[in-house]
Amino acid sequence: MPSPRPQPLPRSTQGTHYVVTAVTYGRVPWLRDPLYARIARHEIETCERQGWLRSEAWVLMPDRVHWLFELRVPMLGQVVQTFKSQTARAIRGHARGAGSIWQAGYMDRRLRP
């Protein structure tokens, strides 16, 4: 019996709701600091202003962010990468000597209608 062929990874779909979780590197509680939490909130709002998504809800935990949104562009990975990159750059600008801020990757779940 032949082995099953690997299934291609699902592509992100514009107009679909996603729940995304991004975790800090080593679970360091960066977002416990009010300044760094404001930076993350600002970057969430920037993604909205860019027209990439429409946030439904989000919560910042000390070591992660959970974010529910409707994707308005077909590039989920690029949106999350930009959020994490911009947030990390801004936090490192304040926390001199800080290394990695976010773990590589993220978890996402596409919601059904």
Side-chain angles (χ1 to χ4, degrees):
M1 171 182 251
S3 61
R5 297 177 77 181
Q7 296 298 310
L9 293 173
R11 298 175 59 122
S12 55
T13 306
Q14 189 173 346
T16 300
H17 285 82
Y18 289 88
V19 176
V20 169
T21 300
V23 179
T24 60
Y25 186 79
R27 297 238 180 214
V28 174
W30 289 107
L31 302 176
R32 180 178 294 156
D33 184 304
L35 172 62
Y36 303 154
R38 280 194 301 273
I39 288 170
R41 184 190 74 210
H42 173 76
E43 293 306 326
I44 287 171
E45 293 167 350
T46 298
C47 289
E48 283 197 76
R49 282 193 302 275
Q50 294 290 334
W52 298 339
L53 53 86
R54 182 174 58 88
S55 291
E56 300 286 343
W58 50 266
V59 61
L60 300 175
M61 308 288 285
D63 63 349
R64 63 191 171 279
V65 59
H66 299 286
W67 192 4
L68 168 63
F69 56 81
E70 177 189 356
L71 188 63
R72 297 213 165 152
V73 294
M75 309 167 300
L76 177 63
Q78 188 173 1
V79 170
V80 176
Q81 177 187 10
T82 300
F83 163 77
K84 288 170 57 177
S85 173
Q86 295 299 324
T87 303
R89 184 176 291 126
I91 290 173
R92 280 194 302 266
H94 292 280
R96 302 284 180 221
S100 297
I101 304 298
W102 297 103
Q103 286 185 13
Y106 59 92
M107 293 170 280
D108 67 273
R109 176 78 57 177
R110 183 168 46 181
L111 302 181
R112 293 185 223 185

